[in-house]
Amino acid sequence: MIRQAPSKAGPAVTTAEQTWTGRWVADRAGIVLSGSERLPELVGLALRSGNPRRAHLLVSSVLGKHVPQRPAVVHGAGLELGRRVADLLGAEAAARAVVLGYAETATGLGHSVADGLDAPYLHSTRRPVPGVVPLGGFEEEHSHATAHLLLPSDPGLLAGDGPLVLVDDEISTGRTVLNTIRELHARHPRGHYVVVALVDLRSADDRARLAGAAAGLGVRLDVVATASGGVDLPGDIVERAEKLIASVPPAVVPAAVAPAPLVRVRLDWPAGLPDGGRHGFTARDRERLDAVLPSLAGQLAQAVPATAERVLVLGFEELMYAPLRLAETLAQRLGGDRVRYSTTTRSPVLAVDDPGYAIRTRLAFPAHDDPRDEASRERYVYNVAPGTDRARRFDAVVLVVDDVADTPALHQGERALLRQLRQVTDRVVLAVLPSHRPALPTPLYGPEFSSYRPEEVAWLLKDLSGVPLEAPTEEREEAVQNGGAHYAESLPVEYRPSPEYQELFHQALRGSADRIALAVGTVAETLLRERGPGLVLASLARAGTPVGILIRRWLAFAHGLDVPHYAVSIVRGRGIDPVALRYLAAHHRAADVVFVDGWTGKGAITRELADALAGTGFDPDLAVLADPGRCVRTYGTRDDFLIPSACLNSTVSGLVSRTVLRAGLIGPEDFHGAKHYAELAGGDVSAAFLDTVAGCFASVSAAAVGEAERLAADPDRTPDWAGWAAVERISAEYGIDDVNLVKPGVGETTRVLLRRVPWRVLARRGAGADLDHVRLLAAQRGVVVEEVDGLPYTCVGLIHPRYSRGATGASGRAVTGRAVTGQAVTGRAVTGKES
């Protein structure tokens, strides 16, 4: 006999002496639970069914998952842990902390910890959500359902450097925690992790393993638990458990009774308020929920019989927190000790109707939320049917689900959950919450935004046309240097090109239109061959946008296809626009989306795209017209030649600026931003560029088909990243510490001269008219053009490695260092303007 100690998390679990709910398993299976005196109060034992990884289950009495409990106890257990974490961190660090809970069991506990810490919250999920691209995921090795997804509507939620608090109901080995930390640390390193659990049952070896892993990552890791101890298992525990399960007689099926009435309550849930932490839950969300809970509980109270002495509020799998808070507020409204709380679960557990066993009764029912993430479609609710102890019978059950789960499978069929609940209580109340779906903005179209026709491209961008973002190049880049700002937080000034420079553009266009059309056709035919006619084009704004339009025009010209085309933003060091990805995923199959750009340099954006799309379902294979860097497999050519759209800025890109990502302007529900320079319409050659190239389609059609066939049979399409290796050699020769300051290829060199503070240009000896515009721009900027031998690109633009207001490294932020005053590191004389 074990006397239950009062819990600091709220009222005592019981005030009377009773049999420990782990005694039945402990005695028969030889399991020994040791450690803190609070352990018997916090957990009982049961046997799992259908899980070869672990035979036993620790059944928490304060979690609200398997055992109905007072809602104040459940919420209080998390609040207590959250306050302990706040004390551990101190006020400054606690203010920067983020809490991450584990699905499905600890979603409510994690949310309660976040309440105690007053921190933003996110929980992992096993439910894929259409239109929401996973930020990442990890594996829970011992669970019956291992895959966890992270679906924050604001990817920046996990991108800060404040402490990350990981919450689970128990820590058994620490492997799940370690998997999570490794996954998230690789994306967003931080210095401090805190692991929180109701019970910590790690062995000494497990503790050493976790501490060693933290040391290897160079991070601080703290563990906060309500109680700690250990579970000693016999070596043949799996065999013992199987024999015990086989020895338990089937549960007696109660005689059929008239089903209890079902009452549906339409709760006045506020629009836009998340129903939980699947996509994130902020301090503002917490304030809104606290304000509305009394009225919501009042609506439930009206549906519950006034005579009901025992009321259960039953949540649904990951939907734990909202039902918990409703139950807590309902208990306060009804008064007395009348309300209990628990949720349904995916965990298959043996039921034994014995006071010394934690799971007395079980109802098994078909999943009713259209699961796609596992083979099993059976779900369970425990300790709701009264069994042999009629005093445990509930007079009313309030079932709270989200609208995704309010399906015919919930209502219809002999084993449907609602049908079974109506057999074991006097009234069932159904309350359906709107499942939170992160809002999606609408695309922009020309002519209101851009000079392109509306059917040619949908811009997944936010219009910042009225926001002053420009500054002269030197001034802007000095701000980047001095303030550590990201290059995407501002824009260079856009000028109307001079007549002389415009003539260079037109000469280049006339001289290369056939060549560009051939590259467009080759890429389009390759994509059609390999991806099929259902493809969706997503060009990387802005340089990729005219290329995407040209590929779309080719598919219409050659095959009569009307292909969707979007322009999306990608920012070095920040990744691709996550809201744009959500939009694409909501409207198309991710596998059909093809990302398009104009050309490759050394492949930095190619790598950025691959990293950003990892684990999302989108194909990271970038399609480009020219691949001199040899870093993609879908291209029109690997020659480094002038694509005339690189000669100009907005006036050849639909009068749209480069994309902008800046806090205060771009919120978590916004697309990245850009500006429409309608005032530059007099110099706009966007349509002329497209029409001139498209006018060559007929003459190169046969050649493009033949080239696509040749590439399909060419094993050398595999990227070898030769361009990256060349950039590293140039960096070493010219004493440049960061390869991001070396911009290879005609297109990238042009960008350096137009938008950056250049140092010098390296040109392949004997390069001809393709570099006329580069020479003109260099002369205007006072930059030396140095002819060299053996250059794998037609030209390479260098940003000053030691004194540059425009030097940005891999993160997109400034690279600082000592000033160069007259001599390059190689000893060559520096000629031209030093900026």
Side-chain angles (χ1 to χ4, degrees):
M1 305 290 284
I2 298 175
R3 182 176 297 279
Q4 306 295 335
S7 168
K8 295 179 182 179
V13 175
T14 181
T15 57
E17 192 172 84
Q18 66 177 27
T19 301
W20 174 46
T21 58
R23 180 63 61 200
W24 192 94
V25 175
D27 289 348
R28 289 166 174 78
I31 297 176
V32 178
L33 189 66
S34 59
S36 169
E37 293 182 357
R38 297 193 66 185
L39 275 179
E41 172 196 344
L42 295 173
V43 297
L45 291 172
L47 297 177
R48 298 176 185 262
S49 57
N51 187 339
R53 296 181 178 88
R54 187 185 290 184
H56 72 287
L57 175 71
L58 288 173
V59 181
S60 173
S61 58
V62 300
L63 184 64
K65 175 54 71 171
H66 304 91
V67 178
Q69 180 55 269
R70 296 177 180 86
V73 172
V74 178
H75 193 207
L79 289 173
E80 175 196 1
L81 287 166
R83 290 163 185 155
R84 287 177 58 189
V85 174
D87 291 341
L88 170 72
L89 295 177
E92 189 277 330
R96 297 185 297 114
V98 176
V99 180
L100 175 63
Y102 286 91
E104 66 173 283
T105 310
T107 58
L109 175 64
H111 211 141
S112 301
V113 170
D115 286 350
L117 185 57
D118 194 22
Y121 177 63
L122 175 74
H123 70 69
S124 66
T125 180
R126 293 192 177 104
R127 179 199 284 180
V129 178
V132 182
V133 179
L135 180 67
F138 52 88
E139 292 291 317
E140 185 176 5
E141 296 173 6
H142 66 267
S143 176
H144 64 284
T146 62
H148 289 251
L149 302 173
L150 296 176
L151 304 177
S153 59
D154 177 11
L157 185 66
L158 296 176
D161 59 0
L164 181 62
V165 181
L166 306 168
V167 183
D168 209 349
D169 56 317
E170 67 174 82
I171 313 174
S172 52
T173 65
R175 289 191 180 94
T176 299
V177 166
L178 186 54
N179 288 343
T180 310
I181 291 175
R182 283 173 172 161
E183 167 73 20
L184 296 180
H185 197 77
R187 290 176 174 267
H188 301 293
R190 65 186 73 229
H192 193 180
Y193 295 86
V194 182
V195 179
V196 177
L198 290 170
V199 292
D200 178 6
L201 301 175
R202 291 173 298 156
S203 67
D205 288 344
D206 293 329
R207 292 170 186 266
R209 183 186 305 111
L210 191 59
L217 292 173
V219 302
R220 174 183 171 185
L221 191 151
D222 293 300
V223 178
V224 176
T226 304
S228 60
V231 179
D232 296 323
L233 303 173
D236 60 346
I237 180 60
V238 174
E239 291 78 8
R240 292 192 188 197
E242 289 175 349
K243 291 179 180 179
L244 282 172
I245 291 171
S247 71
V248 175
V252 177
V253 179
V257 297
L262 172 64
V263 177
R264 180 185 285 268
V265 175
R266 186 180 299 276
L267 294 179
D268 296 327
W269 190 264
L273 177 63
D275 57 317
R278 181 179 287 114
H279 305 298
F281 201 91
T282 66
R284 173 59 181 151
D285 297 328
R286 187 174 293 118
E287 292 174 1
R288 293 185 67 198
L289 179 60
D290 288 344
V292 77
L293 275 172
S295 64
L296 297 176
Q299 292 179 273
L300 291 181
Q302 293 177 9
V304 173
T307 57
E309 292 299 321
R310 281 176 54 80
V311 178
L312 174 69
V313 176
L314 183 63
F316 159 65
E317 294 188 28
E318 295 174 8
L319 184 64
M320 296 184 69
Y321 180 74
L324 169 61
R325 298 301 307 282
L326 287 168
E328 187 177 30
T329 313
L330 179 64
Q332 295 166 359
R333 185 180 183 93
L334 296 182
D337 189 23
R338 299 167 64 184
V339 178
R340 294 295 185 272
Y341 159 81
S342 66
T343 73
T344 66
T345 178
R346 299 181 175 208
S347 302
V349 186
L350 176 71
V352 178
D353 196 0
D354 186 285
Y357 190 84
I359 302 297
R360 299 285 297 274
T361 63
R362 153 175 145 161
L363 299 177
F365 55 93
H368 50 91
D369 62 337
D370 190 24
R372 302 182 184 91
D373 57 326
E374 61 178 325
S376 173
R377 287 177 171 258
E378 191 167 70
R379 302 292 187 261
Y380 312 92
V381 59
Y382 299 111
N383 295 317
V384 173
T388 57
D389 185 357
R390 302 300 295 177
R392 298 169 55 245
R393 187 177 189 275
F394 290 103
D395 301 313
V397 175
V398 179
L399 175 63
V400 182
V401 300
D402 61 14
D403 53 16
V404 173
D406 186 21
T407 63
L410 176 65
H411 299 259
Q412 301 169 6
E414 288 295 323
R415 298 176 62 243
L417 175 58
L418 280 176
R419 185 180 183 89
Q420 294 194 65
L421 289 177
R422 295 174 67 189
Q423 297 292 324
V424 298
T425 188
D426 296 329
R427 178 176 294 188
V428 175
V429 177
L430 176 62
V432 180
L433 304 182
S435 180
H436 182 59
R437 296 166 177 84
L440 286 171
T442 57
L444 302 172
Y445 298 91
E448 288 78 16
F449 185 88
S450 89
S451 60
Y452 292 133
R453 299 197 303 268
E455 68 274 14
E456 300 230 83
V457 59
W459 299 88
L460 302 188
L461 295 173
K462 179 179 181 179
D463 189 357
L464 300 178
S465 298
V467 181
L469 293 166
E470 299 84 359
T473 302
E474 286 79 5
E475 178 182 328
R476 168 178 172 267
E477 296 191 347
E478 187 169 14
V480 171
Q481 173 80 10
N482 292 339
H486 193 280
Y487 78 88
E489 295 175 358
S490 60
L491 292 172
V493 176
E494 294 255 358
Y495 298 101
R496 182 173 298 182
S498 67
E500 181 184 18
Y501 190 77
Q502 282 200 341
E503 178 55 31
L504 268 181
F505 163 79
H506 288 292
Q507 288 178 10
L509 180 57
R510 288 191 294 269
S512 61
D514 281 340
R515 194 175 186 184
I516 297 166
L518 176 59
V520 168
T522 301
V523 172
E525 294 294 332
T526 299
L527 290 175
L528 190 61
R529 174 189 293 268
E530 297 184 350
R531 302 291 288 272
L535 56 84
V536 176
L537 300 175
S539 57
L540 302 183
R542 70 182 164 184
T545 307
V547 176
I549 294 175
L550 285 170
I551 293 174
R552 182 180 183 277
R553 286 192 180 188
W554 179 281
L555 293 170
F557 154 78
H559 301 282
L561 296 176
D562 185 10
V563 174
H565 175 219
Y566 301 90
V568 303
S569 169
I570 188 168
V571 175
R572 182 158 50 86
R574 301 281 182 85
I576 199 164
D577 184 345
V579 182
L581 287 187
R582 279 172 37 207
Y583 186 94
L584 292 172
H587 292 82
H588 305 281
R589 284 196 331 135
D592 291 336
V593 177
V594 178
F595 292 92
V596 175
D597 207 356
W599 59 87
T600 65
K602 56 183 170 291
I605 289 297
T606 306
R607 294 189 177 190
E608 189 84 41
L609 183 67
D611 290 344
L613 297 181
T616 66
F618 289 98
D619 189 335
D621 184 26
L622 182 65
V624 299
L625 296 189
D627 178 36
R630 301 183 64 89
C631 51
V632 300
R633 63 178 304 277
T634 304
Y635 53 85
T637 179
R638 278 181 164 158
D639 294 338
D640 181 21
F641 75 99
L642 173 63
I643 298 174
S645 58
C647 291
L648 300 171
N649 287 326
S650 66
T651 53
V652 79
S653 303
L655 300 180
V656 174
S657 75
R658 202 205 62 233
T659 58
V660 174
L661 179 58
R662 192 169 90 185
L665 294 177
I666 307 301
E669 305 298 329
D670 292 331
F671 295 136
H672 290 185
K675 300 185 71 167
H676 174 208
Y677 293 112
E679 65 274 17
L680 297 180
D684 186 18
V685 295
S686 304
F689 172 69
L690 297 175
D691 293 344
T692 301
V693 174
C696 300
F697 284 174
S699 62
V700 301
S701 179
V705 172
E707 186 64 13
E709 291 175 351
R710 185 191 68 78
L711 288 175
D714 186 356
D716 292 336
R717 288 175 63 195
T718 303
D720 60 17
W721 295 87
W724 190 279
V727 167
E728 289 180 328
R729 292 195 301 271
I730 293 169
S731 299
E733 180 182 353
Y734 283 83
I736 299 175
D737 295 332
D738 192 322
V739 294
N740 288 287
L741 307 183
V742 179
K743 303 296 184 181
V746 178
E748 292 304 305
T749 301
T750 303
R751 287 180 168 187
V752 169
L753 292 167
L754 285 173
R755 301 207 303 250
R756 306 297 291 274
V757 180
W759 178 31
R760 66 175 63 200
V761 172
L762 308 182
R764 182 192 298 156
R765 194 178 305 279
D770 274 353
L771 293 189
D772 284 350
H773 78 291
V774 170
R775 296 186 182 95
L776 176 61
L777 283 175
Q780 291 175 345
R781 299 294 302 273
V783 176
V784 66
V785 177
E786 178 182 335
E787 291 198 350
V788 297
D789 296 314
L791 195 66
Y793 298 92
T794 303
C795 63
V796 176
L798 303 184
I799 298 172
H800 205 299
R802 293 294 181 263
Y803 174 68
S804 173
R805 298 170 187 170
T808 56
S811 68
R813 292 183 176 272
V815 175
T816 60
R818 68 183 185 275
V820 171
T821 56
Q823 291 291 324
V825 178
T826 58
R828 294 186 178 91
V830 176
T831 60
K833 177 182 177 183
E834 291 289 354
S835 300

